[in-house]
Amino acid sequence: MQNLLVVSIALLTFIQSTAFADSPSECSKLASVKLPVPNGASNLTIDSTTLVAATPAVPEYCLIAGHIDSDINFNVELPTTWNGKIMMEGDGGFAGSIPYLDYDVSLQYAAVGTDMGQTGDPADLLNRSDRIANLLYRSTHLVALAAKEVTRSYYATSATHAYFNGCSRGGNQAMVEASRFPDDFDGIIAGAPSLASGAARIWNGQAVFPAGPSNGGLITSNKVALLSKVVIQKCDNLDGVADGVVADPRICRFSPKDDLPRCKKDVDGPDCFTKAQVAALQKIHEGPKSNGQSIGAPYYFSGNEGYNYGDAFGVGEDILDFAYNVTGFPENSILFPDLFDVGIPSATYWTETMYLRYILFSDPNYLLQNFDFNSTSDVSRYAQGLSPQYPATSDLSNYGKKGGKLIMWHGLADSTINSEMSREFYERGAAVLGGYKQIKTFDRLFLVPGTLHCGGGPGPWYFDPVPALEQWVEHGQAPKAIVGLALDSNTSQPICAYPKQARLKSSSADPAVADSYNCVNVSNEQDDTN
């Protein structure tokens, strides 16, 4: 997925550009150059070469289109004036298209992207173990190897550094690269990766649609809005700033069963929750369980579940983030229950149904409500079937030993992929290595308050981690914080390297300005000074 978090070109410094002569002729010649086939692939083919003329926004570049094996298509865009570095962009969802690369070319990177060997339709994964492998772990690595050879052949020199930047599916690609292929990239940005979850999104779908979507949903949009209101009222000011953003949902300690207003005599109404509604939200909060034992992270409500996208579908219904991703729109017959497909009422319900049907059970008619959390077979099948797209261990020190640097980031209001998975993964990695001081030498986590999936929301989500990564890789300056802009309020705030959080320097400081904050350790966990 193309990273949404980009800022003006002026922010990107330390770019050393090199002009290469005769690039137009070299572009056409590349079609006939025999390039080495990446180890693990059967073939590498250059399909076309096109010299793309400069525009006011994008300089001249050579577009190389090729494929690996039969399905893995890729593009490499090679600017005539090159900064000496490679930037590969990650995909989103079930991939199927090559990410937008021109922005990277405008910054003079050799830019790389792949469709991951997919059509974009999950149904095309049915009984195709090759395509499944390409999606879960294989294609990014092979294209990274091919892109390095393409770049070297074109410029007659190897890149000085190779970087990867991705969010969502791209975050998964990033984590697989850091864990399985530590030689591919010098620096990696992993945004909102979907890590091992214990099938949490299936759990959530069953919580709000206990009898399946065709029998209705428990949580309407007005209840999502009320839920957000209660969380914000309880916890907004815990960080000293009343801005509609809960800085750390874990510290909020909100729980549906204790904090939501109950309906009298359990008669549903606009300002209260029934027993069934509370139970559904409590189930989501506690996280997935199998035979009474926890198998996944809890979900901490952020108060931004009710973030409003407006009437995005043009049907007279405001689209709230948590409703779109989890609870659907049972109050609106146009949107429910077939928002994404027949009987598929929300985004995460669709994603998990596709996994179940076309990757895990090879049954196009499989229903999400049929997954049995008390069945060892079902739970094991889910974990094992998707394990190739997750790091095998939280210990990524091998990547650090290779000199690699990893920036992980995750929005704390992400209702698509639970940010708690990233925090728990990072905590386990720190524990293995002996603490934050050790893991921070090569891996830093940034949890972004009030930020939805890969961007958006009322928090300081508008930021670019690439310059910070380059400074770390190329100059040894590890990022202590990255300044983000909250577009809704036009305020700025530092996003601190975990476990630190941004706190005002004083009660009189201006909360709208990043310089008014310090990064402080509010969790009383032992931490290094950086």
Side-chain angles (χ1 to χ4, degrees):
M1 179 176 183
Q2 171 67 25
N3 196 326
L4 297 176
L5 310 181
V6 292
V7 293
S8 67
I9 295 174
L11 287 176
L12 299 179
T13 56
F14 302 97
I15 294 177
Q16 298 176 339
S17 300
T18 305
F20 289 82
D22 301 323
S23 293
S25 62
E26 293 303 320
C27 185
S28 61
K29 288 179 182 178
L30 201 56
S32 60
V33 173
K34 187 171 179 60
L35 298 172
V37 177
N39 187 31
S42 60
N43 64 73
L44 166 63
T45 304
I46 301 300
D47 298 312
S48 66
T49 64
T50 306
L51 188 68
V52 180
T55 69
V58 183
E60 179 185 79
Y61 66 90
C62 176
L63 169 60
I64 308 299
H67 68 271
I68 296 171
D69 296 344
S70 60
D71 288 332
I72 304 172
N73 298 297
F74 66 89
N75 284 354
V76 183
E77 296 185 4
L78 302 161
T80 301
T81 302
W82 182 42
N83 66 11
K85 296 178 276 193
I86 292 172
M87 178 66 73
M88 185 170 184
E89 293 289 345
D91 291 74
F94 287 91
S97 62
I98 293 173
Y100 177 77
L101 302 176
D102 283 4
Y103 178 77
D104 291 329
V105 172
S106 74
L107 303 175
Q108 301 173 341
Y109 294 97
V112 186
T114 175
D115 65 0
M116 302 186 74
Q118 309 302 311
T119 66
D121 183 353
D124 290 331
L125 293 166
L126 184 65
N127 298 320
R128 287 293 301 266
S129 59
D130 56 335
R131 287 182 178 168
I132 292 172
N134 288 340
L135 177 70
L136 299 188
Y137 69 92
R138 185 171 177 265
S139 59
T140 308
H141 168 61
L142 295 178
V143 170
L145 297 180
K148 289 181 180 181
E149 292 297 335
V150 169
T151 302
R152 181 195 58 75
S153 180
Y154 185 65
Y155 296 118
T157 187
S158 298
T160 59
H161 296 92
Y163 295 101
F164 183 91
N165 184 16
C167 189
S168 194
R169 169 63 63 186
N172 281 82
Q173 292 171 264
M175 297 302 287
V176 167
E177 284 295 309
S179 61
R180 294 175 182 263
F181 307 108
D183 293 319
D184 285 356
F185 296 101
D186 304 293
I188 293 173
I189 295 168
S194 178
L195 301 169
S197 67
R201 293 187 297 199
I202 298 176
W203 179 263
N204 296 347
Q206 291 184 354
V208 294
F209 309 110
S214 61
N215 292 294
L218 292 175
I219 311 295
T220 56
S221 291
N222 72 307
K223 295 303 174 73
V224 171
L226 180 58
L227 165 71
S228 289
K229 181 181 178 180
V230 173
V231 177
I232 292 296
Q233 285 178 340
K234 178 174 182 177
C235 298
D236 182 11
N237 203 35
L238 290 180
D239 62 345
V241 182
D243 55 359
V245 174
V246 175
D248 185 349
R250 288 189 306 140
I251 294 176
C252 175
R253 303 193 185 283
F254 165 86
S255 99
K257 66 180 178 62
D258 295 327
D259 296 310
L260 290 178
R262 301 296 187 95
C263 295
K264 292 182 179 180
K265 297 183 179 180
D266 208 35
V267 177
D268 201 1
D271 299 319
C272 61
F273 291 82
T274 67
K275 291 179 181 178
Q277 291 165 351
V278 170
L281 294 170
Q282 185 67 24
K283 183 174 180 178
I284 291 173
H285 171 56
E286 293 177 359
K289 297 179 181 179
S290 178
N291 295 300
Q293 300 297 312
S294 176
I295 58 172
Y299 177 85
Y300 294 101
F301 290 95
S302 68
N304 297 129
E305 285 74 23
Y307 189 81
N308 194 335
Y309 299 114
D311 186 8
F313 297 140
V315 294
E317 177 78 23
D318 283 347
I319 305 303
L320 308 186
D321 180 73
F322 195 67
Y324 175 80
N325 283 313
V326 182
T327 60
F329 302 90
E331 74 281 3
N332 190 307
S333 60
I334 298 176
L335 300 178
F336 189 87
D338 306 326
L339 182 63
F340 281 82
D341 202 344
V342 177
I344 300 182
S346 69
T348 58
Y349 202 99
W350 178 84
T351 299
E352 293 307 307
T353 298
M354 297 303 103
Y355 278 137
L356 292 169
R357 288 179 176 177
Y358 302 116
I359 294 179
L360 300 175
F361 288 92
S362 299
D363 177 0
N365 298 311
Y366 191 94
L367 299 177
L368 182 143
Q369 61 261 35
N370 291 343
F371 187 89
D372 185 358
F373 278 90
N374 291 325
S375 164
T376 302
S377 174
D378 280 8
V379 172
S380 176
R381 192 166 190 165
Y382 187 93
Q384 293 178 10
L386 296 182
S387 63
Q389 73 175 357
Y390 310 134
T393 171
S394 296
D395 180 3
L396 301 181
S397 58
N398 192 38
Y399 183 61
K401 291 173 184 175
K402 298 280 187 177
K405 306 299 182 186
L406 173 63
I407 288 179
M408 300 171 60
W409 71 268
H410 211 135
L412 285 169
D414 190 337
S415 64
T416 302
I417 298 174
N418 185 2
S419 63
E420 187 65 6
M421 294 188 297
S422 287
R423 188 196 68 81
E424 287 191 353
F425 181 91
Y426 191 79
E427 289 278 13
R428 290 193 298 269
V432 169
L433 297 175
Y436 297 120
K437 185 174 183 179
Q438 288 73 26
I439 197 171
K440 279 188 171 183
T441 61
F442 70 93
D443 182 5
R444 298 202 170 199
L445 171 64
F446 296 83
L447 297 176
V448 193
T451 296
L452 310 177
H453 185 58
C454 290
W461 64 268
Y462 195 74
F463 67 98
D464 186 356
V466 172
L469 181 65
E470 289 186 308
Q471 284 295 294
W472 196 7
V473 170
E474 299 171 31
H475 303 282
Q477 298 176 12
K480 299 177 183 179
I482 301 173
V483 175
L485 178 66
L487 295 183
D488 287 2
S489 58
N490 195 31
T491 61
S492 61
Q493 184 176 313
I495 306 158
C496 304
Y498 183 82
K500 290 184 170 66
Q501 296 178 21
R503 291 293 185 270
L504 283 175
K505 295 176 181 178
S506 69
S507 58
S508 61
D510 183 358
V513 181
D515 287 343
S516 297
Y517 295 83
N518 282 327
C519 288
V520 300
N521 192 340
V522 299
S523 60
N524 296 319
E525 306 248 17
Q526 188 176 13
D527 187 31
D528 67 315
T529 58
N530 293 319

